[in-house]
Amino acid sequence: MYGRTYMDVPEEDGVVFIKSDKEIALGDFVKCKIIDVKDYDLIAEIIL
């Protein structure tokens, strides 16, 4: 899955790739922890 932070502009900023075993519905807000960086993108995992 992927998303973006509240500060990101879709046309200019990278995305946040989210690792999760859980199903997330389109449009849901989730809290994530950034665990890695790839060029302009972030890699995150969901925290509960």
Side-chain angles (χ1 to χ4, degrees):
M1 297 167 275
Y2 67 94
R4 59 179 183 263
T5 70
Y6 71 95
M7 298 179 293
D8 289 342
V9 177
E11 295 82 20
E12 297 178 18
D13 295 314
V15 296
V16 179
F17 291 101
I18 304 167
K19 294 181 176 183
S20 177
D21 295 333
K22 297 181 180 182
E23 195 68 30
I24 299 172
L26 182 64
D28 280 357
F29 287 84
V30 294
K31 288 190 178 200
C32 295
K33 177 181 176 182
I34 304 301
I35 58 172
D36 202 0
V37 178
K38 301 290 184 195
D39 296 320
Y40 298 103
D41 299 320
L42 302 173
I43 312 299
E45 62 186 6
I46 294 177
I47 58 174
L48 301 174

